[in-house]
Amino acid sequence: MTPIASVHPAHSALPGDARRVRSEWSLGWRHLRRNHLAMIGLVVVVFLAAVALAGPDLPLPNPLTQHMGLQAAPPSAQHWLGTDSLGRDVLSRLVGGARASLSIAVGAVLVAVSLGVPLGLVAGYFGAWADVAIMRWMDAMLSFPALVLAIALVASLGAGPGSVLVAIGFVNIPVFARLTRGAALAAKTESYVEAARALGASDARIIVRHVAPTAIAPVTVQIGASFAVAIVVEATLSFLGLGTQAPNPSWGVMLNDARDYITDAPWLVFFPAATISVTVLSVNFLADGLRDALDPHYRNE
Amino acid sequence: MTRQPVVTRRQLLRVTGLAVGGGFVAQRLSTSRYAAPAFAQTASTRPLRVALPGEPSFMNPILVASDRNFAKVSWNVFDSLLGYDYGARRSTPQLATSWRQVDPTTWEFKLREGVQFHRGYGELTAADVEFMVNYVVDNNKPLKFLYFFVKGAKATGKYTVQYSLSQPFAPFLLTTVRDRGAMIVSKKAYQEMGEEAFSRTPVGTGPFELSSWQEGTEIVLKRFAQYWQNPLPHLDEVSYRFITDTVTRESLLKTGEIDFMDNPDYKDVERWRRDPGFAVTSVPSWGTDYMPFSVTTPPFDKKALRQAVAFAVDRASLAKSFFFGEAEADPGPLPRGYLGYPSPAIYPLGANTAKAKELLSEAGVPNGFQTTALTTAQFKPLAEVISGQLADVGIQMSVEVVDPGTFNARTSSKKFEVAVVNLAFMTPDTDSTAYWFYHTDTVGNYGYDNPTIDKALEDARATYDQQKRAAMYRSILTTVLPDAPFVYLLHPNIIHIYRKGLQGVPGYPQEYAIDLRNATWT
């Protein structure tokens, strides 16, 4: 079995192949490290994730505590980024918002991957009616603009972070399904798959051990891209009042609250907007870097 | 000889360019006709440009039950049978010059003679009143919500009309035959045009006649020269532009695109006051910001929890810090001057957290509980501030924002726990603050069921003796307020902001009243 597996580039299951496979990933990592933008993105993303995780334990004021009489105050020693329309600390609310936004984005991408990847594998590997049934359904979903579909879903599920997570995850399923289907279509005609079949491996075993691994690199890259989109969509839905509900903080909610203060206290708009931009930009840098690093085609350039 | 084209390409381009450019310029001119400098116009020809937060659904009082945008325009297009003196708090003559009670269920009105309808539809007579009242009653039109116990109307002379009721109804004069209740339309116009066309080109007797209605953009009114209150009105033209966003309204006022707006952001009022180019009118309203509970479902089926909220909110702080002083804190429902005012002092103006915690312990939740407040985008910030106040006693109130249609559907089907919203009273009679919310058979009641109160409310509206009625309402409130089916917060001010030089627009405590008949530029 070993010689068959050795022609399979991303196969990690077989012991004799381990050294070569690890070098594939470490090659990618070496390439990624040389990409400055991607490293900046990685640092920012790791920092944000750490802040979001540590959130409530950080020595910051309670993001829900109102200071009436100290409304829309400019940045000061006490409130580093000022206070919002109800006198709440903007920095604590940004941190609280990071927790809300990132956890929804992570959850949504998990939903999309865990449903989209199996669907794509089944469609690509089995072809025929399974392919038609699954992919036409995916095409139908893709024919709606993602944001409109998400709004419709949240409207029918009821506003709230849970609905937003499900909605964003749901609208991202087709992207992963298509991507995985493409990889599966290419892999299933490879000689190592034919060999596995000839050796009597079941369809399930072939899909899991021989076909699925070929999709890991493109799916990893897509996870990054979808994550950035999920953050923007989450902020949009919260801005529209469909996501995180007051008084809990969320970047989109903060932007909406700040709208009326754009002339009096522009920093109330600036900070959440800048946070969203920096986060999305960093995730995109990282995703771009991952694509360059994991795709041999780009890596050689 | 080569054949020349009739039009060369260059010529064609030039002509097309001219046409497009010219069209553009013409359009700019027509849309910016108001931007012409004010000093170029004499006082009377200078139009008044009012910003409305939205578009009226119909310009037809018969078809409208609740539409604040219609209400704001309606005052200037229609007259009512009776007017109201907001200072002396009594009915005044308007289309009716005198009125009397023939018997406990019959009211007679003498109409003003010589009042003309818009668009040449002739003189107002008793037949118009008779038509409108019977049309509303027989066809169950939306206006019927103000026609309590009205069986019909009958013209008993050219200028005399009688309303007959099925039982005595004390709030009749203040509720049914003033303002929205009796804005008289022309029978002839209504029948000739049909309901739909009439609703777009209304025919009333008011100071201004509807001149054009550009859907989604603006309504323009022009002076009605035969208005009975000669020489009113002073203005030649009034336009209402529909601008939903408060920030946009305020910036258009600042830049000179509009002259008058109401409902600014409360935080901005002080800045407008300091601005030498503008004037501000601010009057405490009849309306009340309040919190209704669904009293038949958990958690607020427990009276002690409702009372805990009533003691935990800090009304004085809301009025001072959230409304920036442009509101009157009030733990009771009665606006100033209503029969029975002031409400019995059951709750404090500030918060009594000790009492609130005691009530929570009494209800078995000493550490508080969780609930969700239903509200609309307009009241979301207020709900958040209240949420912060309730957190002080351990009540965790999250806020759910829905659109107004969903809000009404959810509250009327009692699919909510507590809500934060505003009540706007259309009538200055206490019946509208009490019966409409405490009686079991009204839409404003969310499960409060007290047979004694039902009976007392029915008795109070059937009693004509005002002194007796005042005592009856006081006793009703002394029972209902401690039961706390509603928590009352404050009366927000009604605020008008307008360009200096505009005069004669009174600030009334009644919501949605922009009365322009005396308005003039100086």
Side-chain angles (χ1 to χ4, degrees):
Chain A
M1 247 173 111
T2 310
I4 297 169
S6 65
V7 296
H8 174 199
H11 199 295
S12 62
L14 298 173
D17 203 30
R19 194 195 55 80
R20 191 183 146 82
V21 167
R22 205 166 30 236
S23 77
E24 183 77 15
W25 284 98
S26 63
L27 215 66
W29 169 242
R30 267 188 15 220
H31 194 269
L32 188 67
R33 252 192 349 200
R34 282 203 301 271
N35 184 335
H36 297 307
L37 283 181
M39 287 320 285
I40 292 173
L42 183 66
V43 168
V44 173
V45 169
V46 168
F47 171 76
L48 278 169
V51 165
L53 280 174
D57 300 323
L58 294 174
L60 288 170
N62 184 330
L64 300 185
T65 305
Q66 301 167 359
H67 302 276
M68 298 308 282
L70 191 71
Q71 289 133 291
S76 64
Q78 211 149 32
H79 301 281
W80 290 359
L81 301 185
T83 64
D84 73 358
S85 53
L86 301 180
R88 296 172 296 201
D89 186 70
V90 170
L91 180 59
S92 339
R93 288 183 73 73
L94 278 182
V95 171
R99 212 173 156 80
S101 298
L102 296 185
S103 58
I104 287 175
V106 168
V109 170
L110 275 180
V111 168
V113 169
S114 58
L115 291 174
V117 168
L119 282 174
L121 285 173
V122 168
Y125 181 76
F126 291 106
W129 65 267
D131 192 24
V132 173
I134 293 173
M135 293 323 289
R136 287 309 79 79
W137 181 43
M138 293 295 122
D139 287 346
M141 280 174 68
L142 274 176
S143 67
F144 290 96
L147 186 60
V148 175
L149 186 58
I151 290 174
L153 280 170
V154 175
S156 60
L157 293 171
S163 315
V164 168
L165 189 154
V166 171
I168 300 177
F170 199 72
V171 300
N172 273 300
I173 290 175
V175 186
F176 287 99
R178 287 196 142 221
L179 202 64
T180 323
R181 172 179 175 269
L185 273 181
K188 80 171 176 185
T189 56
E190 294 285 346
S191 46
Y192 59 83
V193 171
E194 279 167 25
R197 195 176 294 128
L199 284 170
S202 67
D203 285 335
R205 183 182 170 86
I206 294 173
I207 289 178
V208 173
R209 309 201 72 167
H210 302 281
V211 177
T214 62
I216 288 179
V219 166
T220 308
V221 173
Q222 184 57 39
I223 283 176
S226 291
F227 191 73
V229 173
I231 288 171
V232 173
V233 175
E234 191 277 335
T236 310
L237 292 175
S238 293
F239 179 85
L240 294 174
L242 295 169
T244 308
Q245 296 295 302
N248 297 315
S250 147
W251 296 339
V253 170
M254 292 176 75
L255 269 183
N256 193 12
D257 287 348
R259 228 162 31 99
D260 292 346
Y261 286 77
I262 195 155
T263 47
D264 305 75
W267 59 90
L268 289 183
V269 175
F270 176 78
F271 290 127
T275 310
I276 294 174
S277 308
V278 167
T279 309
V280 171
L281 208 59
S282 306
V283 173
N284 277 331
F285 282 158
L286 183 59
D288 266 4
L290 279 175
R291 189 198 57 200
D292 295 353
L294 293 180
D295 188 331
H297 183 69
Y298 286 96
R299 195 163 55 201
N300 294 336
E301 280 171 10
Chain B
M1 204 173 102
T2 54
R3 204 169 151 232
Q4 287 285 328
V6 183
V7 183
T8 65
R9 196 190 305 164
R10 186 171 300 220
Q11 281 170 327
L12 186 68
L13 268 177
R14 199 177 292 146
V15 169
T16 319
L18 264 179
V20 170
F24 181 71
V25 169
Q27 203 211 341
R28 288 297 304 157
L29 281 176
S30 72
T31 52
S32 65
R33 73 197 135 111
Y34 293 141
F39 52 81
Q41 295 160 323
T42 65
S44 68
T45 60
R46 181 174 169 190
L48 176 68
R49 300 156 302 165
V50 179
L52 286 188
E55 183 164 12
S57 47
F58 306 102
M59 280 306 296
N60 179 353
I62 292 175
L63 291 189
V64 175
S66 126
D67 177 347
R68 61 185 64 183
N69 296 307
F70 163 76
K72 286 174 186 176
V73 181
S74 69
W75 277 58
N76 305 304
V77 177
F78 301 99
D79 284 320
S80 198
L81 281 184
L82 300 187
Y84 186 67
D85 183 330
Y86 289 88
R89 301 190 179 103
R90 58 157 192 259
S91 297
T92 56
Q94 207 171 65
L95 290 179
T97 50
S98 66
W99 54 95
R100 70 187 181 100
Q101 199 172 9
V102 180
D103 61 57
T105 57
T106 311
W107 287 86
E108 185 181 88
F109 297 87
K110 270 252 180 307
L111 300 184
R112 192 177 296 279
E113 294 181 24
V115 173
Q116 294 296 318
F117 277 115
H118 300 156
R119 300 171 195 280
Y121 274 97
E123 193 188 0
L124 166 92
T125 65
D128 295 298
V129 183
E130 180 191 70
F131 160 75
M132 174 162 155
V133 174
N134 294 338
Y135 180 75
V136 169
V137 172
D138 296 344
N139 298 288
N140 215 358
K141 289 292 172 183
L143 178 57
K144 205 176 167 207
F145 86 108
L146 288 173
Y147 278 24
F148 297 92
F149 309 118
V150 172
K151 282 197 301 190
K154 194 170 177 303
T156 51
K158 192 177 179 195
Y159 300 108
T160 323
V161 64
Q162 286 189 347
Y163 276 69
S164 57
L165 311 183
S166 57
Q167 63 180 79
F169 183 57
F172 178 73
L173 289 181
L174 295 184
T175 301
T176 310
V177 289
R178 73 169 278 277
D179 190 19
R180 299 275 303 289
M183 288 180 166
I184 307 300
V185 302
S186 158
K187 174 186 179 182
K188 190 168 167 232
Y190 214 88
Q191 289 178 333
E192 272 182 22
M193 294 182 187
E195 191 153 77
E196 206 169 310
F198 184 94
S199 306
R200 310 296 298 175
T201 49
V203 176
T205 62
F208 296 93
E209 179 179 295
L210 191 139
S211 147
S212 72
W213 183 343
Q214 200 182 342
E215 267 178 70
T217 311
E218 66 172 356
I219 285 180
V220 179
L221 307 183
K222 64 167 192 272
R223 182 173 192 273
F224 178 45
Q226 290 136 286
Y227 187 50
W228 59 271
Q229 244 177 309
N230 197 30
L232 302 182
H234 302 303
L235 297 173
D236 276 345
E237 187 179 299
V238 177
S239 62
Y240 296 88
R241 287 177 57 188
F242 319 135
I243 304 157
T244 320
D245 188 52
T246 312
V247 181
T248 312
R249 276 204 302 280
E250 290 191 38
S251 63
L252 289 182
L253 180 62
K254 185 77 192 164
T255 55
E257 292 281 313
I258 58 170
D259 304 309
F260 185 104
M261 67 172 285
D262 63 352
N263 292 53
D265 214 320
Y266 285 98
K267 72 176 163 59
D268 299 332
V269 176
E270 202 43 52
R271 195 177 58 210
W272 286 109
R273 278 212 182 89
R274 284 198 309 266
D275 194 319
F278 297 91
V280 173
T281 312
S282 179
V283 181
S285 69
W286 290 343
T288 300
D289 283 4
Y290 81 129
M291 301 168 71
F293 296 107
S294 171
V295 299
T296 50
T297 53
F300 291 111
D301 50 345
K302 285 199 181 117
K303 184 164 90 179
L305 295 187
R306 304 196 297 265
Q307 290 172 326
V309 172
F311 279 106
V313 289
D314 189 338
R315 301 165 178 86
S317 154
L318 286 178
K320 183 169 165 283
S321 304
F322 185 72
F323 286 87
F324 299 89
E326 311 290 339
E328 200 171 34
D330 187 352
L334 290 185
R336 249 172 218 286
Y338 275 43
L339 211 56
Y341 179 89
S343 317
I346 310 286
Y347 304 106
L349 283 181
N352 185 342
T353 46
K355 179 76 181 162
K357 280 182 178 155
E358 193 183 308
L359 285 160
L360 289 177
S361 304
E362 196 180 293
V365 283
N367 297 320
F369 60 99
Q370 288 197 345
T371 184
T372 302
L374 190 69
T375 192
T376 57
Q378 191 189 349
F379 298 102
K380 178 192 161 226
L382 177 62
E384 279 192 83
V385 182
I386 294 168
S387 164
Q389 295 183 344
L390 297 184
D392 289 347
V393 298
I395 302 172
Q396 309 279 326
M397 185 177 89
S398 57
V399 178
E400 185 183 357
V401 181
V402 294
D403 61 279
T406 311
F407 182 89
N408 290 338
R410 291 266 303 271
T411 48
S412 58
S413 59
K414 300 195 185 73
K415 289 198 180 86
F416 74 110
E417 293 174 0
V418 58
V420 177
V421 70
N422 172 273
L423 282 174
F425 299 124
M426 270 174 288
T427 107
D429 193 287
T430 304
D431 186 67
S432 65
T433 71
Y435 190 100
W436 298 16
F437 299 93
Y438 305 151
H439 197 281
T440 42
D441 72 359
T442 54
V443 287
N445 179 318
Y446 304 123
Y448 183 66
D449 186 354
N450 185 336
T452 323
I453 290 297
D454 277 5
K455 176 78 173 57
L457 288 164
E458 285 158 21
D459 289 348
R461 57 168 29 182
T463 303
Y464 282 110
D465 183 322
Q466 293 297 75
Q467 239 156 15
K468 270 193 203 150
R469 272 187 86 204
M472 292 166 101
Y473 282 124
R474 210 162 272 133
S475 117
I476 288 169
L477 287 176
T478 313
T479 308
V480 175
L481 287 181
D483 284 344
F486 305 97
V487 166
Y488 299 98
L489 304 168
L490 44 77
H491 304 294
N493 284 14
I494 290 174
I495 295 164
H496 293 167
I497 304 178
Y498 46 95
R499 207 163 293 286
K500 274 269 166 68
L502 180 69
Q503 285 189 337
V505 185
Y508 295 141
Q510 178 173 6
E511 242 124 327
Y512 321 140
I514 302 177
D515 182 357
L516 299 177
R517 69 198 68 212
N518 282 301
T520 182
W521 288 108
T522 53

